[in-house]
Amino acid sequence: MGDLVPGGNQAMPVGVLVIRVRGPFDVSVLITGHGGKVAGDEDFVFFNQPVAPGARLDGDTVMVDPRRLRAGASRVTVVVSPAEPGTPMGRLPVQVMSVIGSDVTLVARLIPPRPTQETVLLLAEIYRRGTEWKLRALGQGYADGLAGVARDFGVDVADDGSSGGADGGFVGLVNAERSRSGVPALALDARLVAAARAHAGVMAAQGQLGAEGPDGTSLFHRVAASGYAYLTIAEHIVSGPRTEAEFVEYCLSEERNRLPLYEAAFTHAGIGQATSGPSGDVYWTALWARPFTAAGLAETASEVVSLTNAERAAAGLAPLMTDARLTAAAQAHSADMVARDFYSHTTPEGREPWDRAAAAGATHRGIGENIACGQRTPAEVVRGWMNSPGHRANILKPEFTHIGIGYATGSRAGTYWTQLFGR
């Protein structure tokens, strides 16, 4: 057994092949057919997705059983990247790849030419030739990181900026803009990525932009289903840009579109894109979010009360006092509207605001209620209520002395607000 040089090939024994690259590296494999592209994202085996039919990643070792690969698979490409993303491979130890057969003997070894600035290497490929499998040494370097390699193989990558790509990926681009404005960096969240990808896929299948799919499932339903509980959220739903860089450029092109990029409260993001088969148009969904916390909910409710009392003060009225029982009833109603996907003062069982207030133990003689959905901030929701005669009348009713605020997120509209007044 001699060391393979790039371009060299060697027949592989039947059975499981153990591929190992020791050192400060991450090992990945891409499973492809004769066309050189993956059949789906599940064909990319890496640290976040360590198992596929016929392939399993365990630390610095990949086990490949060509007999158990998915139908149509004819090639497994072995990729190595730095454990510290973005580090040039030339600064790291030599990448020695060993291949061990099922009888625990060393059957092949590859020591590629030493790279320089490349941030990822295609080390070798296991490929089918007739009825047998062979190993070919590659030693091909990439300068645009693991995400760039994955994209070239057809993987739908939402780059979190950690792959060392040429443009830094979506989050890398966004965080560069945030840094220039003194805004803290945000991080990609896998749950938001899943929701964004699913929504982009639905839009691409329909060939049109929209906040809901044909079955009535909204983007916010998808976020809730992913398990991400948010306090505040914003979204971009766009078609046209071809790359993450073009998408970020679009977001920066207009004041309204760029606001989420610079919002310091947002700490997480998700990005998804899909291409429409008939037209070739690319559909994008981006999500920007602040996670839910009890402290954040209290802060949001307090701000609504302050803004409401500012409107009363401007009208020469006394401020409203926060009442815990009204707050409990209001919060329960907002949460109920989210949980049961309805929007009304009257519940599906016919319960009215005064019924809910009484059930919470409120003893006020008169009850009033404002609700709203879709508004993203306390300022936006209070402004909307003040621009509506009926809601404005509740806010400025002299007889009201107490207030409770409810706020919940999810469902069709994304945000659900309740103001419950008492006297």
Side-chain angles (χ1 to χ4, degrees):
M1 188 280 303
D3 292 342
L4 288 175
V5 298
N9 63 74
Q10 180 177 326
M12 290 289 100
V14 175
V16 176
L17 301 173
V18 177
I19 301 164
R20 179 174 295 141
V21 183
R22 296 196 182 279
F25 309 112
D26 286 328
V27 185
S28 317
V29 297
L30 290 141
I31 301 165
T32 56
H34 292 297
K37 298 291 186 181
V38 299
D41 292 355
E42 61 276 7
D43 281 348
F44 181 25
V45 177
F46 68 119
F47 49 85
N48 277 342
Q49 184 172 267
V51 178
R56 176 183 294 274
L57 173 64
D58 184 7
D60 62 2
T61 301
V62 181
M63 287 159 281
V64 177
D65 187 346
R67 302 166 300 178
R68 299 184 181 279
L69 296 172
R70 64 162 174 83
S74 60
R75 194 177 306 268
V76 178
T77 302
V78 182
V79 182
V80 65
S81 56
E84 184 65 34
T87 303
M89 299 292 283
R91 298 181 189 173
L92 301 174
V94 174
Q95 301 85 42
V96 179
M97 188 187 87
S98 301
V99 182
I100 301 167
S102 56
D103 60 356
V104 200
T105 61
L106 182 66
V107 296
R109 191 172 73 155
L110 167 65
I111 304 177
R114 190 165 184 81
T116 55
Q117 295 302 310
E118 292 90 342
T119 56
V120 65
L121 284 178
L122 306 189
L123 284 179
E125 59 185 11
I126 301 166
Y127 64 99
R128 185 169 57 204
R129 177 64 59 85
T131 59
E132 70 173 350
W133 289 83
K134 304 186 76 174
L135 175 75
R136 179 185 291 120
L138 297 175
Q140 177 185 347
Y142 269 68
D144 55 352
L146 187 58
V149 173
R151 271 191 290 264
D152 284 354
F153 278 75
V155 178
D156 181 12
V157 176
D159 197 339
D160 66 357
S162 66
S163 62
D167 63 13
F170 168 69
V171 168
L173 292 166
V174 169
N175 283 338
E177 290 293 330
R178 289 168 74 93
S179 177
R180 281 189 279 272
S181 299
V183 180
L186 49 70
L188 207 67
D189 185 275
R191 296 162 295 182
L192 295 178
V193 169
R197 283 181 173 177
H199 191 71
V202 169
M203 292 192 297
Q206 294 296 115
Q208 63 182 22
L209 296 173
E212 292 185 10
D215 62 352
T217 301
S218 78
L219 174 58
F220 309 109
H221 284 127
R222 300 185 198 284
V223 174
S226 78
Y228 188 96
Y230 59 87
L231 186 72
T232 327
I233 199 164
E235 74 283 349
H236 283 105
I237 299 174
V238 180
S239 66
R242 310 298 297 185
T243 66
E244 291 171 338
E246 288 181 12
F247 175 78
V248 173
E249 183 178 355
Y250 163 81
C251 293
L252 295 171
S253 63
E254 295 182 11
E255 178 65 26
R256 182 170 62 90
N257 291 333
R258 72 172 67 106
L259 288 176
L261 276 74
Y262 298 116
E263 174 54 64
F266 291 142
T267 58
H268 293 133
I271 182 77
Q273 61 91 11
T275 302
S276 175
S279 67
D281 291 337
V282 181
Y283 288 81
W284 296 84
T285 300
L287 290 162
W288 319 83
R290 174 187 177 188
F292 176 89
T293 63
L297 175 61
E299 175 188 326
T300 299
S302 178
E303 190 172 350
V304 173
V305 173
S306 295
L307 291 168
T308 299
N309 280 334
E311 296 293 347
R312 287 177 65 87
L317 298 172
L320 300 172
M321 301 292 291
T322 300
D323 183 277
R325 295 160 298 182
L326 294 177
T327 297
Q331 183 61 36
H333 187 56
S334 287
D336 191 28
M337 288 191 289
V338 168
R340 295 199 282 174
D341 203 8
F342 75 97
Y343 176 66
S344 174
H345 292 287
T346 306
T347 70
E349 300 83 10
R351 290 167 64 83
E352 302 291 352
W354 41 90
D355 299 320
R356 296 189 290 272
T363 57
H364 301 280
R365 292 172 295 159
I367 295 293
E369 184 179 77
N370 288 342
I371 59 174
C373 66
Q375 296 81 1
R376 304 308 170 83
T377 65
E380 185 180 347
V381 73
V382 173
R383 182 167 60 249
W385 281 326
M386 287 300 293
N387 288 334
S388 167
H391 298 95
R392 178 187 177 94
N394 273 339
I395 289 174
L396 300 182
K397 188 170 183 176
E399 291 81 6
F400 285 143
T401 57
H402 292 82
I403 189 172
I405 304 298
Y407 174 67
T409 60
S411 194
R412 191 178 308 273
T415 61
Y416 291 77
W417 307 80
T418 302
Q419 279 184 319
L420 196 57
F421 303 91
R423 61 181 178 88

